[in-house]
Amino acid sequence: MAKNPAISIHEYAFLGKEFMKYQDARLPVMTHAFMYGTAVFEGIRGYWNKEEQKLYVLHVREHLERILQSCKILRLQPYYNVEEMTNIVIELLKKNKAQNDVYIRPSWFKACERIGPNVIGADDEDSFVVTSIDLGDYLDTSKGISVQVSSWRRLSDNAIPARAKINGSYVNTALSKATAHLSGYDDAIYLTEEGHVAEGSAMNLFIVRNGKLITCGITENILEGITRKFIMQIAKAELGLETEVRQIDRSELYIADEAFFCGTGAQIAPIGSIDHYTLGDGKPGSITSKLQKLYTDICRGKVAKYKDVLIEIGY
Ligand code: PMP
């Protein structure tokens, strides 16, 4: 069973409209976002390239565009645009002089202190926070992990929309992940209320059947993953593999030749078994391994053709 990664929080954070020491970035306990989960967030990864002594930060624009979509759905009022948020992220990383793989966490949240979960209030203030930490693997990417089809269902779009990264909705993730861990699995796959495959606890899912990549559509209550989209792009361009986007049945999981999770945090994490059904020989499959190598090389700035998905930071 995977252990929780230890976190090493960087020295500086950004809160409200300024940079400050992380330990000074504090909020009142009655902050609306804490009381009701009324915040949205993103997780962005930066990869340290040792040879070049540079940090490569992946898909920054895509994450910051998505955070604004999440704000819109939750009716938050952001006061920075994508360019301004990008500059804050870059500045923060420069201040923190990170020389490891890092994880950056921007979040817009309801900063007012009041009782009542309504997100609209005459004098409400919304605020912005960005923190960064060192982060290696979130899921073990070196083996085939063991996964449980969760008894918890994926939140439906008409309850809390999964396409918005709303903090409160990660209670759904917490429940499925904890149940999986307590049952001896590394992670979990959700089904929708209708019983079709949705995604992992905090990552999207691909299966491989007869040499074909398959993933479910964005109307299956999944987060519209940036990595999911990118994998479809590079699989086609570099491996000549089209992805079939369609509903996936639970029983297809058990007879898949390969399966993997993907996400900014999860990267490409091969799945070895699902509900104790071993996929292939239980080790990372050949298509998964090829994609994983390609993805890792791109993230570290080693593939010239894909450098435009990265922001390069040197100190
Ligand atoms: N689904 C959920 C629920 C997630 O939290 C994440 C992580 N952001 C993903 C999928 C993967 O999305 P992305 O590739 O954009 O990081």
Side-chain angles (χ1 to χ4, degrees):
M1 196 160 66
K3 286 210 176 70
N4 285 333
I7 65 166
S8 156
I9 302 168
H10 295 166
E11 188 178 0
Y12 290 96
F14 183 92
L15 176 61
K17 295 189 173 170
E18 58 190 327
F19 292 98
M20 60 189 71
K21 290 272 176 111
Y22 172 76
Q23 62 266 30
D24 296 330
R26 293 280 174 262
L27 298 173
V29 291
M30 283 197 60
T31 299
H32 201 275
F34 179 61
M35 304 289 279
Y36 300 109
T38 45
V40 299
F41 72 101
E42 276 301 322
I44 306 174
R45 261 194 192 267
Y47 290 87
W48 180 243
N49 184 313
K50 214 172 169 183
E51 296 79 49
E52 296 178 32
Q53 294 285 299
K54 272 184 195 149
L55 189 68
Y56 284 104
V57 194
L58 181 65
H59 286 141
V60 176
R61 168 164 283 278
E62 288 80 355
H63 283 286
L64 297 176
E65 282 173 354
R66 187 169 66 188
I67 207 170
L68 294 183
Q69 288 173 8
S70 297
C71 284
K72 184 164 186 188
I73 289 174
L74 194 57
R75 302 183 193 280
L76 297 183
Q77 311 226 355
Y79 45 80
Y80 292 129
N81 61 26
V82 169
E83 283 68 36
E84 289 161 334
M85 287 188 282
T86 302
N87 290 337
I88 291 166
V89 166
I90 294 172
E91 187 65 28
L92 181 69
L93 291 168
K94 285 189 171 164
K95 276 175 133 15
N96 283 326
K97 293 192 181 60
Q99 297 198 347
N100 284 307
D101 291 350
V102 300
Y103 182 77
I104 304 124
R105 171 63 65 104
S107 173
W108 286 98
F109 62 99
K110 288 219 72 68
C112 51
E113 296 160 72
R114 70 174 156 77
I115 287 295
N118 191 351
V119 286
I120 302 170
D123 300 322
D124 280 8
E125 266 181 40
D126 298 337
S127 187
F128 186 53
V129 60
V130 192
T131 50
S132 66
I133 61 171
D134 284 352
L135 187 72
D137 274 0
Y138 167 74
L139 292 177
D140 195 334
T141 55
S142 66
K143 60 165 197 182
I145 60 172
S146 71
V147 174
Q148 172 185 51
V149 173
S150 189
S151 54
W152 298 99
R153 290 290 176 266
R154 187 67 179 126
L155 279 165
S156 92
D157 194 54
N158 293 307
I160 306 180
R163 68 169 45 73
K165 269 181 87 72
I166 296 172
N167 288 42
S169 64
Y170 279 72
V171 168
N172 194 212
T173 298
L175 292 172
S176 68
K177 186 125 186 162
T179 304
H181 277 195
L182 290 169
S183 315
Y185 296 88
D186 294 312
D187 219 293
I189 292 173
Y190 292 111
L191 305 179
T192 60
E193 288 290 0
E194 292 72 37
H196 294 290
V197 173
E199 60 179 338
S201 64
M203 49 269 170
N204 293 122
L205 174 74
F206 282 79
I207 61 171
V208 178
R209 289 189 66 191
N210 303 318
K212 222 180 207 161
L213 275 172
I214 307 169
T215 195
C216 69
I218 56 170
T219 50
E220 296 294 327
N221 298 323
I222 64 169
L223 180 73
E224 295 181 13
I226 293 163
T227 319
R228 171 185 174 276
K229 194 170 166 194
F230 189 55
I231 283 170
M232 289 195 261
Q233 183 194 332
I234 60 174
K236 185 174 177 190
E238 307 307 320
L239 305 180
L241 282 176
E242 293 277 354
T243 304
E244 205 178 311
V245 179
R246 61 158 175 82
Q247 274 186 337
I248 299 175
D249 279 341
R250 173 186 195 147
S251 56
E252 287 191 272
L253 298 176
Y254 303 149
I255 57 167
D257 304 314
E258 303 179 29
F260 61 88
F261 285 133
C262 71
T264 305
Q267 306 171 104
I268 293 184
I271 296 173
S273 67
I274 303 176
D275 289 346
H276 297 285
Y277 289 97
T278 305
L279 309 190
D281 62 2
K283 301 205 177 85
S286 69
I287 292 178
T288 306
S289 300
K290 276 186 209 149
L291 281 169
Q292 200 183 35
K293 160 108 182 47
L294 181 61
Y295 182 77
T296 308
D297 285 348
I298 292 172
C299 292
R300 296 206 184 270
K302 293 181 182 165
V303 185
K305 182 175 167 188
Y306 291 104
K307 276 217 166 165
D308 61 343
V309 300
L310 302 161
I311 290 181
E312 231 176 283
I313 301 179
Y315 308 118

